[in-house]
Amino acid sequence: MKLRVERDVLAEAVAWTARSLPVRPPVPVLAGVRLEATSDGTLTLSTFDYDVSARSTIPAAVEESGVVLVSGRLLADIAKALPAKPVDLSLDGSKVVLRCGASRFTLLTMPVEDYPALPQMPELSGTIDADVLTEAVNQVTIAASRDETLPLLTGVRVEIEGEKLTLMATDRYRLAMRELSWHPSSPSFSAVALVRARTLSDVAKSLTSAGSVDVALGNSSASLIGFAAGGRQTTSLLVEGDYPPVRRLFPEETTTHAVVATGPLIEAARRVALVAERNTPIRLSFSEGQVVLEAGQGEDAQASEVLEATLVGEDIVTAFNPSYLLDGLGALTTDFVRMSFTHPSKPAVLTGQESLEGESTDDFRYLLMPIRFAG
């Protein structure tokens, strides 16, 4: 193996590919990055931990093709520290030699024959606008559980029906749902998958510099999902199990709703939450023309703030976990939020609204369980 590659291109590709390396690999070779140089002038870097695989293909001036396996984290650290000059990479016996300007590094190779076969990308299912995917994933993954003892709830349910794609996540205390349009490879394409929230977040962060992202999801019995864009591709095993029927938690109709400016409500909630002890709620009292935010009680520090609000229906008093409320408000992309209620002790639904008097947009909905407050 002998090749030359641009330093910045190599450093970026190694960093992206090595990001999913396991911290404590079950077998030593899984800590490696597989480098494959081919005579068509490409260098492909790959990692795989039996769950998630990543591949990045970059241009290189290849003199001799070949395959090697080296420590991924070490290669990433070296590539990042190299001077801004072309990098020459060659195999010398059982070592890989990197030369860049006056710098020279040798890395021990690992047995490439022991490395597991990388999974193949499933068949292409369709493409989605990168910016739309990023926004949708950021809106939904906030509600996914971080509790690994409940693996089902650490996933995002993906439902595809023709040109409509729906993402849903819940941790039992809130539920986020986003509906969006995409471009399926077949107009009748239909699929349901449970994808790890962290995989989707990673895709949203790292694959969306290109204009669109390819989504590859096999038939209903498939256990793998793949994403590809700009010479990079990643695959992930799907989460197994039956996701709870959360869609029915959204009420068919609500009797009361309030509309508040999103930005001022976020700022007020942050201020009032400063005195909310751990696991204590923010109380919201809606009446004609205003909402009063309060936190703290008794001998503790207390805070309150009044904001303008439009109320349709009867006065209502409810309370929420401050961070869950702020997560939902922060996920909205509109100037106003509509908070819809059926009862003070039943979940509220947050949706976006472009103007004070306008209609709410239902493409993103955030359902939030209230907390019972003392008194």
Side-chain angles (χ1 to χ4, degrees):
M1 183 190 230
K2 194 173 182 185
L3 59 94
R4 172 171 278 200
V5 63
E6 290 300 320
R7 178 259 180 197
D8 289 351
V9 174
L10 176 67
E12 197 178 316
V14 178
W16 182 80
T17 313
R19 84 208 180 290
S20 55
L21 286 171
V23 179
R24 286 181 286 277
V27 286
V29 288
L30 295 184
V33 166
R34 184 181 184 273
L35 306 173
E36 181 173 4
T38 52
S39 54
D40 63 356
T42 60
L43 174 65
T44 301
L45 301 91
S46 315
T47 57
F48 183 39
D49 67 357
Y50 294 120
D51 284 334
V52 177
S53 78
R55 285 187 194 86
S56 184
T57 302
I58 56 173
V62 180
E63 275 188 51
E64 294 174 24
S65 55
V67 181
V68 294
L69 185 69
V70 294
S71 166
R73 292 223 153 78
L74 184 56
L75 181 62
D77 289 342
I78 290 169
K80 192 167 59 177
L82 290 172
K85 294 182 177 178
V87 181
D88 290 307
L89 194 147
S90 59
L91 182 63
D92 183 8
S94 62
K95 293 179 180 177
V96 167
V97 181
L98 267 90
R99 289 186 180 86
C100 181
S103 301
R104 181 179 185 274
F105 291 89
T106 58
L107 284 84
L108 277 174
T109 59
M110 301 157 92
V112 73
E113 63 276 4
D114 293 349
Y115 201 71
L118 288 152
Q120 293 301 308
M121 280 279 278
E123 195 177 324
L124 179 68
S125 308
T127 60
I128 186 167
D129 181 274
D131 293 337
V132 173
L133 178 64
T134 300
E135 181 182 274
V137 167
N138 290 340
Q139 287 177 316
V140 171
T141 51
I142 53 169
S145 175
R146 275 104 176 126
D147 184 355
E148 294 294 338
T149 62
L150 298 166
L152 269 181
L153 300 187
T154 63
V156 172
R157 182 174 166 90
V158 180
E159 296 177 356
I160 301 172
E161 205 58 60
E163 293 183 0
K164 183 175 164 188
L165 190 150
T166 305
L167 303 175
M168 280 185 288
T170 183
D171 60 4
R172 296 180 300 171
Y173 306 107
R174 65 255 179 86
L175 163 63
M177 185 170 94
R178 171 69 195 268
E179 295 175 335
L180 54 138
S181 298
W182 80 314
H183 310 287
S185 50
S186 158
S188 60
F189 184 79
S190 172
V192 174
L194 191 53
V195 187
R196 288 178 176 84
R198 66 172 182 267
T199 297
L200 279 179
S201 295
D202 193 46
V203 166
K205 282 193 197 104
S206 65
L207 282 185
T208 47
S209 53
S212 64
V213 177
D214 291 342
V215 181
L217 184 63
N219 55 33
S220 56
S221 63
S223 60
L224 203 65
I225 190 167
F227 301 91
R232 295 172 174 177
Q233 62 180 54
T234 185
T235 65
S236 174
L237 283 178
L238 297 174
V239 182
E240 292 183 358
D242 295 322
Y243 203 68
V246 292
R247 205 185 261 266
R248 68 185 185 194
L249 295 174
F250 288 106
E252 288 186 15
E253 57 181 353
T254 52
T255 52
T256 304
H257 73 260
V259 180
V260 191
T262 311
L265 181 56
I266 289 173
E267 289 170 18
R270 280 190 183 134
R271 282 190 287 269
V272 172
L274 292 173
V275 302
E277 298 283 327
R278 195 178 166 195
N279 296 329
T280 61
I282 288 184
R283 181 168 161 166
L284 285 82
S285 307
F286 293 94
S287 56
E288 182 54 45
Q290 69 174 33
V291 56
V292 181
L293 290 81
E294 298 169 282
Q297 56 192 9
E299 299 299 313
D300 299 328
Q302 296 175 16
S304 68
E305 190 159 339
V306 182
L307 291 176
E308 283 185 32
T310 301
L311 180 67
V312 176
E314 295 185 3
D315 293 3
I316 192 164
V317 181
T318 187
F320 300 112
N321 174 303
S323 61
Y324 292 174
L325 174 63
L326 285 165
D327 280 347
L329 293 171
L332 295 167
T333 57
T334 51
D335 290 338
F336 293 87
V337 54
R338 178 185 290 213
M339 303 180 75
S340 304
F341 307 95
T342 55
H343 188 273
S345 63
K346 291 195 173 166
V349 181
L350 278 63
T351 51
Q353 202 162 300
E354 295 295 347
S355 63
L356 191 60
E357 302 297 331
E359 289 296 310
S360 70
T361 53
D362 285 348
D363 57 344
F364 173 66
R365 287 185 278 171
Y366 186 80
L367 184 103
L368 184 56
M369 288 289 292
I371 296 177
R372 294 195 176 173
F373 48 87

